[in-house]
Amino acid sequence: MSEKDIVDRTRRPNTIATMAAQMGQLGVQSGDTLLVHSSLSRMGWVCGGPQAVILALLQAVGEEGTLVMPAQSGDWSDPAEWQHPAVPADWIETIYSEMPAFDPALTPSRGMGRIAELFRTWPGTQRSDHPQVSFTANGRHAAYIVAEHPLTPQFGEASPLGRLCELDAKVLLLGAGYDSCTCLHLAEARLPGMPRKRMGAAVRSDGERSWRWFEDYAYDADDFERIGVLFDKSGHVASGRIGEAECRLFGAKEAVEAAEKWLSANRYRA
């Protein structure tokens, strides 16, 4: 979508003040721990772009709140599985040996959007150290949320997702759909019968860079939109607009429990 298209479909300029007010109307409160999945283009024209959105979010949760976003780095994965584009087969061994080690301070996110990528570099933001599915956090509980992110299971109880549920965090889908809702992966990690797969990433251990193989669940978000359709009817979801974006706000714990119930009945069984 071009910037002209975005301007043309925007009814009024979105500012820090208007966005923070709409977040409050949706149900974001001062002191909240808030996991945000976002799409800037769906918000319409924003005065100040992703910087203004982050400032509005920080204003909405206040000084006692905590803002959290995904910072996944899909480039730090097995190149043999890459698509869009794939790389030639004779490049793969070179990538295994030469890909730089994941660095929480340097490694960019991929596919998370402009808001999440700017938040990664925001003053005071901390990042978990998983080479593929890290999270960033800023605020009161940031250090606790991102501490000790296990290599596997990457979305399990000991991951930032487990800590977010423990803290009764809320999830804001800011123009994003349920297919982007990472907390639902925690339901997969709880599910008996989940298939497993080999994964790999370039990491640093004891000061040395190496390619490390590990095994984890074969996470799959293909069902998440169907789960979301039912969850929308549960009474746990507030919906509204922030700018031009359709948004949803709900408790992470309630969403995970609903997903776990649906997956147990419809996907894999012990």
mmCIF file with all atom_site columns, all heavy atoms in Angstrom, residues 125-141:
data_model
loop_
_atom_site.group_PDB
_atom_site.id
_atom_site.type_symbol
_atom_site.label_atom_id
_atom_site.label_alt_id
_atom_site.label_comp_id
_atom_site.label_asym_id
_atom_site.label_entity_id
_atom_site.label_seq_id
_atom_site.pdbx_PDB_ins_code
_atom_site.Cartn_x
_atom_site.Cartn_y
_atom_site.Cartn_z
_atom_site.occupancy
_atom_site.B_iso_or_equiv
_atom_site.pdbx_formal_charge
_atom_site.auth_seq_id
_atom_site.auth_comp_id
_atom_site.auth_asym_id
_atom_site.auth_atom_id
_atom_site.pdbx_PDB_model_num
ATOM 1   N N   . THR A 1 125 ? 14.626 -0.415  26.311 1.00 0.00 ? 125 THR A N   1
ATOM 2   C CA  . THR A 1 125 ? 14.055 -1.699  25.906 1.00 0.00 ? 125 THR A CA  1
ATOM 3   C C   . THR A 1 125 ? 15.074 -2.817  26.121 1.00 0.00 ? 125 THR A C   1
ATOM 4   O O   . THR A 1 125 ? 16.251 -2.673  25.793 1.00 0.00 ? 125 THR A O   1
ATOM 5   C CB  . THR A 1 125 ? 13.606 -1.659  24.435 1.00 0.00 ? 125 THR A CB  1
ATOM 6   O OG1 . THR A 1 125 ? 12.482 -0.793  24.325 1.00 0.00 ? 125 THR A OG1 1
ATOM 7   C CG2 . THR A 1 125 ? 13.215 -3.043  23.935 1.00 0.00 ? 125 THR A CG2 1
ATOM 8   N N   . GLN A 1 126 ? 14.608 -3.928  26.670 1.00 0.00 ? 126 GLN A N   1
ATOM 9   C CA  . GLN A 1 126 ? 15.433 -5.122  26.863 1.00 0.00 ? 126 GLN A CA  1
ATOM 10  C C   . GLN A 1 126 ? 14.906 -6.244  25.978 1.00 0.00 ? 126 GLN A C   1
ATOM 11  O O   . GLN A 1 126 ? 13.725 -6.284  25.657 1.00 0.00 ? 126 GLN A O   1
ATOM 12  C CB  . GLN A 1 126 ? 15.410 -5.539  28.329 1.00 0.00 ? 126 GLN A CB  1
ATOM 13  C CG  . GLN A 1 126 ? 15.887 -4.440  29.277 1.00 0.00 ? 126 GLN A CG  1
ATOM 14  C CD  . GLN A 1 126 ? 15.843 -4.875  30.726 1.00 0.00 ? 126 GLN A CD  1
ATOM 15  O OE1 . GLN A 1 126 ? 16.410 -5.903  31.110 1.00 0.00 ? 126 GLN A OE1 1
ATOM 16  N NE2 . GLN A 1 126 ? 15.163 -4.093  31.560 1.00 0.00 ? 126 GLN A NE2 1
ATOM 17  N N   . ARG A 1 127 ? 15.802 -7.159  25.618 1.00 0.00 ? 127 ARG A N   1
ATOM 18  C CA  . ARG A 1 127 ? 15.435 -8.218  24.670 1.00 0.00 ? 127 ARG A CA  1
ATOM 19  C C   . ARG A 1 127 ? 15.849 -9.572  25.207 1.00 0.00 ? 127 ARG A C   1
ATOM 20  O O   . ARG A 1 127 ? 16.953 -9.728  25.749 1.00 0.00 ? 127 ARG A O   1
ATOM 21  C CB  . ARG A 1 127 ? 16.124 -7.964  23.330 1.00 0.00 ? 127 ARG A CB  1
ATOM 22  C CG  . ARG A 1 127 ? 15.709 -8.892  22.200 1.00 0.00 ? 127 ARG A CG  1
ATOM 23  C CD  . ARG A 1 127 ? 16.473 -8.541  20.942 1.00 0.00 ? 127 ARG A CD  1
ATOM 24  N NE  . ARG A 1 127 ? 15.967 -9.258  19.758 1.00 0.00 ? 127 ARG A NE  1
ATOM 25  C CZ  . ARG A 1 127 ? 16.489 -9.144  18.541 1.00 0.00 ? 127 ARG A CZ  1
ATOM 26  N NH1 . ARG A 1 127 ? 17.541 -8.346  18.343 1.00 0.00 ? 127 ARG A NH1 1
ATOM 27  N NH2 . ARG A 1 127 ? 15.970 -9.818  17.527 1.00 0.00 ? 127 ARG A NH2 1
ATOM 28  N N   . SER A 1 128 ? 14.997 -10.573 25.041 1.00 0.00 ? 128 SER A N   1
ATOM 29  C CA  . SER A 1 128 ? 15.372 -11.928 25.427 1.00 0.00 ? 128 SER A CA  1
ATOM 30  C C   . SER A 1 128 ? 16.403 -12.475 24.443 1.00 0.00 ? 128 SER A C   1
ATOM 31  O O   . SER A 1 128 ? 16.565 -11.946 23.340 1.00 0.00 ? 128 SER A O   1
ATOM 32  C CB  . SER A 1 128 ? 14.142 -12.838 25.504 1.00 0.00 ? 128 SER A CB  1
ATOM 33  O OG  . SER A 1 128 ? 13.575 -13.040 24.223 1.00 0.00 ? 128 SER A OG  1
ATOM 34  N N   . ASP A 1 129 ? 17.089 -13.536 24.837 1.00 0.00 ? 129 ASP A N   1
ATOM 35  C CA  . ASP A 1 129 ? 18.245 -13.969 24.049 1.00 0.00 ? 129 ASP A CA  1
ATOM 36  C C   . ASP A 1 129 ? 17.986 -15.206 23.198 1.00 0.00 ? 129 ASP A C   1
ATOM 37  O O   . ASP A 1 129 ? 18.926 -15.919 22.840 1.00 0.00 ? 129 ASP A O   1
ATOM 38  C CB  . ASP A 1 129 ? 19.458 -14.195 24.952 1.00 0.00 ? 129 ASP A CB  1
ATOM 39  C CG  . ASP A 1 129 ? 19.225 -15.272 26.008 1.00 0.00 ? 129 ASP A CG  1
ATOM 40  O OD1 . ASP A 1 129 ? 18.110 -15.862 26.028 1.00 0.00 ? 129 ASP A OD1 1
ATOM 41  O OD2 . ASP A 1 129 ? 20.143 -15.526 26.803 1.00 0.00 ? 129 ASP A OD2 1
ATOM 42  N N   . HIS A 1 130 ? 16.727 -15.459 22.839 1.00 0.00 ? 130 HIS A N   1
ATOM 43  C CA  . HIS A 1 130 ? 16.485 -16.578 21.925 1.00 0.00 ? 130 HIS A CA  1
ATOM 44  C C   . HIS A 1 130 ? 16.847 -16.155 20.511 1.00 0.00 ? 130 HIS A C   1
ATOM 45  O O   . HIS A 1 130 ? 16.444 -15.081 20.057 1.00 0.00 ? 130 HIS A O   1
ATOM 46  C CB  . HIS A 1 130 ? 15.024 -17.019 21.970 1.00 0.00 ? 130 HIS A CB  1
ATOM 47  C CG  . HIS A 1 130 ? 14.818 -18.371 21.385 1.00 0.00 ? 130 HIS A CG  1
ATOM 48  N ND1 . HIS A 1 130 ? 14.824 -18.597 20.016 1.00 0.00 ? 130 HIS A ND1 1
ATOM 49  C CD2 . HIS A 1 130 ? 14.644 -19.591 21.961 1.00 0.00 ? 130 HIS A CD2 1
ATOM 50  C CE1 . HIS A 1 130 ? 14.645 -19.885 19.786 1.00 0.00 ? 130 HIS A CE1 1
ATOM 51  N NE2 . HIS A 1 130 ? 14.534 -20.518 20.942 1.00 0.00 ? 130 HIS A NE2 1
ATOM 52  N N   . PRO A 1 131 ? 17.619 -16.976 19.776 1.00 0.00 ? 131 PRO A N   1
ATOM 53  C CA  . PRO A 1 131 ? 18.102 -16.545 18.466 1.00 0.00 ? 131 PRO A CA  1
ATOM 54  C C   . PRO A 1 131 ? 17.033 -16.442 17.393 1.00 0.00 ? 131 PRO A C   1
ATOM 55  O O   . PRO A 1 131 ? 17.276 -15.843 16.337 1.00 0.00 ? 131 PRO A O   1
ATOM 56  C CB  . PRO A 1 131 ? 19.131 -17.619 18.105 1.00 0.00 ? 131 PRO A CB  1
ATOM 57  C CG  . PRO A 1 131 ? 18.691 -18.835 18.858 1.00 0.00 ? 131 PRO A CG  1
ATOM 58  C CD  . PRO A 1 131 ? 18.153 -18.302 20.150 1.00 0.00 ? 131 PRO A CD  1
ATOM 59  N N   . GLN A 1 132 ? 15.862 -17.003 17.612 1.00 0.00 ? 132 GLN A N   1
ATOM 60  C CA  . GLN A 1 132 ? 14.821 -16.989 16.580 1.00 0.00 ? 132 GLN A CA  1
ATOM 61  C C   . GLN A 1 132 ? 13.531 -16.289 17.005 1.00 0.00 ? 132 GLN A C   1
ATOM 62  O O   . GLN A 1 132 ? 12.890 -15.640 16.177 1.00 0.00 ? 132 GLN A O   1
ATOM 63  C CB  . GLN A 1 132 ? 14.496 -18.431 16.154 1.00 0.00 ? 132 GLN A CB  1
ATOM 64  C CG  . GLN A 1 132 ? 15.657 -19.120 15.476 1.00 0.00 ? 132 GLN A CG  1
ATOM 65  C CD  . GLN A 1 132 ? 15.406 -20.594 15.210 1.00 0.00 ? 132 GLN A CD  1
ATOM 66  O OE1 . GLN A 1 132 ? 14.405 -21.161 15.668 1.00 0.00 ? 132 GLN A OE1 1
ATOM 67  N NE2 . GLN A 1 132 ? 16.304 -21.224 14.482 1.00 0.00 ? 132 GLN A NE2 1
ATOM 68  N N   . VAL A 1 133 ? 13.132 -16.408 18.264 1.00 0.00 ? 133 VAL A N   1
ATOM 69  C CA  . VAL A 1 133 ? 11.809 -15.912 18.668 1.00 0.00 ? 133 VAL A CA  1
ATOM 70  C C   . VAL A 1 133 ? 11.907 -15.038 19.920 1.00 0.00 ? 133 VAL A C   1
ATOM 71  O O   . VAL A 1 133 ? 11.142 -15.190 20.872 1.00 0.00 ? 133 VAL A O   1
ATOM 72  C CB  . VAL A 1 133 ? 10.811 -17.075 18.884 1.00 0.00 ? 133 VAL A CB  1
ATOM 73  C CG1 . VAL A 1 133 ? 10.546 -17.803 17.584 1.00 0.00 ? 133 VAL A CG1 1
ATOM 74  C CG2 . VAL A 1 133 ? 11.306 -18.051 19.943 1.00 0.00 ? 133 VAL A CG2 1
ATOM 75  N N   . SER A 1 134 ? 12.825 -14.096 19.915 1.00 0.00 ? 134 SER A N   1
ATOM 76  C CA  . SER A 1 134 ? 12.996 -13.231 21.074 1.00 0.00 ? 134 SER A CA  1
ATOM 77  C C   . SER A 1 134 ? 11.814 -12.276 21.240 1.00 0.00 ? 134 SER A C   1
ATOM 78  O O   . SER A 1 134 ? 11.037 -12.048 20.318 1.00 0.00 ? 134 SER A O   1
ATOM 79  C CB  . SER A 1 134 ? 14.296 -12.432 20.948 1.00 0.00 ? 134 SER A CB  1
ATOM 80  O OG  . SER A 1 134 ? 14.245 -11.579 19.814 1.00 0.00 ? 134 SER A OG  1
ATOM 81  N N   . PHE A 1 135 ? 11.712 -11.720 22.444 1.00 0.00 ? 135 PHE A N   1
ATOM 82  C CA  . PHE A 1 135 ? 10.732 -10.679 22.756 1.00 0.00 ? 135 PHE A CA  1
ATOM 83  C C   . PHE A 1 135 ? 11.476 -9.480  23.330 1.00 0.00 ? 135 PHE A C   1
ATOM 84  O O   . PHE A 1 135 ? 12.531 -9.623  23.953 1.00 0.00 ? 135 PHE A O   1
ATOM 85  C CB  . PHE A 1 135 ? 9.707  -11.171 23.779 1.00 0.00 ? 135 PHE A CB  1
ATOM 86  C CG  . PHE A 1 135 ? 8.731  -12.169 23.230 1.00 0.00 ? 135 PHE A CG  1
ATOM 87  C CD1 . PHE A 1 135 ? 9.072  -13.515 23.120 1.00 0.00 ? 135 PHE A CD1 1
ATOM 88  C CD2 . PHE A 1 135 ? 7.473  -11.780 22.818 1.00 0.00 ? 135 PHE A CD2 1
ATOM 89  C CE1 . PHE A 1 135 ? 8.180  -14.442 22.606 1.00 0.00 ? 135 PHE A CE1 1
ATOM 90  C CE2 . PHE A 1 135 ? 6.563  -12.704 22.300 1.00 0.00 ? 135 PHE A CE2 1
ATOM 91  C CZ  . PHE A 1 135 ? 6.919  -14.030 22.193 1.00 0.00 ? 135 PHE A CZ  1
ATOM 92  N N   . THR A 1 136 ? 10.898 -8.298  23.115 1.00 0.00 ? 136 THR A N   1
ATOM 93  C CA  . THR A 1 136 ? 11.436 -7.080  23.698 1.00 0.00 ? 136 THR A CA  1
ATOM 94  C C   . THR A 1 136 ? 10.441 -6.536  24.707 1.00 0.00 ? 136 THR A C   1
ATOM 95  O O   . THR A 1 136 ? 9.223  -6.706  24.559 1.00 0.00 ? 136 THR A O   1
ATOM 96  C CB  . THR A 1 136 ? 11.706 -6.021  22.622 1.00 0.00 ? 136 THR A CB  1
ATOM 97  O OG1 . THR A 1 136 ? 10.550 -5.902  21.774 1.00 0.00 ? 136 THR A OG1 1
ATOM 98  C CG2 . THR A 1 136 ? 12.910 -6.400  21.781 1.00 0.00 ? 136 THR A CG2 1
ATOM 99  N N   . ALA A 1 137 ? 10.952 -5.859  25.736 1.00 0.00 ? 137 ALA A N   1
ATOM 100 C CA  . ALA A 1 137 ? 10.082 -5.324  26.779 1.00 0.00 ? 137 ALA A CA  1
ATOM 101 C C   . ALA A 1 137 ? 10.682 -4.048  27.337 1.00 0.00 ? 137 ALA A C   1
ATOM 102 O O   . ALA A 1 137 ? 11.898 -3.878  27.400 1.00 0.00 ? 137 ALA A O   1
ATOM 103 C CB  . ALA A 1 137 ? 9.889  -6.353  27.896 1.00 0.00 ? 137 ALA A CB  1
ATOM 104 N N   . ASN A 1 138 ? 9.795  -3.155  27.763 1.00 0.00 ? 138 ASN A N   1
ATOM 105 C CA  . ASN A 1 138 ? 10.215 -1.865  28.310 1.00 0.00 ? 138 ASN A CA  1
ATOM 106 C C   . ASN A 1 138 ? 9.241  -1.513  29.422 1.00 0.00 ? 138 ASN A C   1
ATOM 107 O O   . ASN A 1 138 ? 8.027  -1.485  29.203 1.00 0.00 ? 138 ASN A O   1
ATOM 108 C CB  . ASN A 1 138 ? 10.173 -0.803  27.200 1.00 0.00 ? 138 ASN A CB  1
ATOM 109 C CG  . ASN A 1 138 ? 10.859 0.486   27.593 1.00 0.00 ? 138 ASN A CG  1
ATOM 110 O OD1 . ASN A 1 138 ? 10.568 1.051   28.628 1.00 0.00 ? 138 ASN A OD1 1
ATOM 111 N ND2 . ASN A 1 138 ? 11.768 0.952   26.746 1.00 0.00 ? 138 ASN A ND2 1
ATOM 112 N N   . GLY A 1 139 ? 9.774  -1.264  30.609 1.00 0.00 ? 139 GLY A N   1
ATOM 113 C CA  . GLY A 1 139 ? 8.906  -0.885  31.709 1.00 0.00 ? 139 GLY A CA  1
ATOM 114 C C   . GLY A 1 139 ? 9.159  -1.696  32.966 1.00 0.00 ? 139 GLY A C   1
ATOM 115 O O   . GLY A 1 139 ? 10.190 -2.362  33.111 1.00 0.00 ? 139 GLY A O   1
ATOM 116 N N   . ARG A 1 140 ? 8.207  -1.669  33.858 1.00 0.00 ? 140 ARG A N   1
ATOM 117 C CA  . ARG A 1 140 ? 8.356  -2.205  35.209 1.00 0.00 ? 140 ARG A CA  1
ATOM 118 C C   . ARG A 1 140 ? 8.810  -3.658  35.242 1.00 0.00 ? 140 ARG A C   1
ATOM 119 O O   . ARG A 1 140 ? 9.707  -4.035  35.993 1.00 0.00 ? 140 ARG A O   1
ATOM 120 C CB  . ARG A 1 140 ? 7.031  -2.046  35.952 1.00 0.00 ? 140 ARG A CB  1
ATOM 121 C CG  . ARG A 1 140 ? 7.064  -2.558  37.377 1.00 0.00 ? 140 ARG A CG  1
ATOM 122 C CD  . ARG A 1 140 ? 5.696  -2.419  38.030 1.00 0.00 ? 140 ARG A CD  1
ATOM 123 N NE  . ARG A 1 140 ? 5.691  -2.938  39.387 1.00 0.00 ? 140 ARG A NE  1
ATOM 124 C CZ  . ARG A 1 140 ? 4.591  -3.077  40.117 1.00 0.00 ? 140 ARG A CZ  1
ATOM 125 N NH1 . ARG A 1 140 ? 3.409  -2.710  39.614 1.00 0.00 ? 140 ARG A NH1 1
ATOM 126 N NH2 . ARG A 1 140 ? 4.668  -3.560  41.341 1.00 0.00 ? 140 ARG A NH2 1
ATOM 127 N N   . HIS A 1 141 ? 8.181  -4.526  34.449 1.00 0.00 ? 141 HIS A N   1
ATOM 128 C CA  . HIS A 1 141 ? 8.474  -5.959  34.505 1.00 0.00 ? 141 HIS A CA  1
ATOM 129 C C   . HIS A 1 141 ? 9.382  -6.427  33.366 1.00 0.00 ? 141 HIS A C   1
ATOM 130 O O   . HIS A 1 141 ? 9.508  -7.630  33.136 1.00 0.00 ? 141 HIS A O   1
ATOM 131 C CB  . HIS A 1 141 ? 7.165  -6.763  34.455 1.00 0.00 ? 141 HIS A CB  1
ATOM 132 C CG  . HIS A 1 141 ? 6.247  -6.512  35.610 1.00 0.00 ? 141 HIS A CG  1
ATOM 133 N ND1 . HIS A 1 141 ? 6.597  -6.781  36.911 1.00 0.00 ? 141 HIS A ND1 1
ATOM 134 C CD2 . HIS A 1 141 ? 4.983  -6.011  35.646 1.00 0.00 ? 141 HIS A CD2 1
ATOM 135 C CE1 . HIS A 1 141 ? 5.586  -6.469  37.711 1.00 0.00 ? 141 HIS A CE1 1
ATOM 136 N NE2 . HIS A 1 141 ? 4.606  -5.999  36.974 1.00 0.00 ? 141 HIS A NE2 1
#
